[in-house]
Amino acid sequence: MRQLRLAKDLMDRDWADPALDLGAVADRAGYSRYHFLRAFKEAYGETPRQYLTHRRIERAEDLLRTANLSVTEICHLVGFSSVGTFSARFKAWTGLTPSEYRAKHVGRGAALIPGCYAMLWAGGFRRSEQSNSGEAG
């Protein structure tokens, strides 16, 4: 069980990493992919992919309510590489598309956080991109 908790902690910590996959998490737990899949589902009631998707959707809900970012920007910030997949999974989880969710929940509190601050806070600006963009030719 300890290894499963370590793997779950990895998913909780690195949920936004699009490279986080079943193989990486299973390796962290010291299991084969298929044994890990079965053990995780037995322990937590959902597959590792479902768990990770739910974490990402929860973070997307927060960003849609609070940040002035586009759906595409939020999609990539929370670890999805496809807007179509993100929108479909978001709707399956919440019953609303990301745009519908934002329209329903924005305006109930403080003003939206400017996108540049939200991107900085969420780690959307990668260090290598910053150093490359500032270099002279």
Side-chain angles (χ1 to χ4, degrees):
M1 187 64 175
R2 181 177 184 275
Q3 293 90 347
L4 290 175
R5 280 193 303 257
L6 291 173
K8 187 172 178 265
D9 289 346
L10 174 68
M11 288 188 282
D12 287 338
R13 185 185 67 235
D14 295 340
W15 54 266
D17 183 358
L20 188 62
D21 64 2
L22 180 62
V25 179
D27 285 345
R28 177 69 174 104
Y31 287 91
S32 73
R33 293 169 50 125
Y34 300 106
H35 181 67
F36 174 70
L37 180 71
R38 287 189 301 274
F40 191 94
K41 184 167 185 173
E42 184 178 316
Y44 296 109
E46 59 187 347
T47 67
R49 177 175 291 214
Q50 290 168 331
Y51 180 79
L52 186 57
T53 296
H54 294 162
R55 288 293 144 260
R56 289 173 172 171
I57 300 274
E58 288 170 355
R59 296 304 303 146
E61 287 176 311
D62 288 342
L63 290 169
L64 286 164
R65 283 191 309 266
T66 60
N68 188 17
L69 294 168
S70 71
V71 170
T72 301
E73 289 169 325
I74 291 171
C75 162
H76 294 293
L77 276 176
V78 299
F80 285 93
S81 55
S82 162
V83 176
T85 300
F86 168 66
S87 294
R89 293 210 175 128
F90 190 94
K91 184 168 185 172
W93 180 251
T94 65
L96 302 168
T97 67
S99 297
E100 291 168 342
Y101 184 89
R102 173 175 272 161
K104 181 177 179 180
H105 292 285
V106 168
R108 293 183 160 188
L112 293 176
I113 299 167
C116 58
Y117 290 114
M119 290 285 284
L120 184 63
W121 172 79
F125 297 117
R126 304 285 186 247
R127 182 134 183 99
S128 62
E129 292 171 357
Q130 289 174 342
S131 63
N132 288 343
S133 65
E135 294 177 5

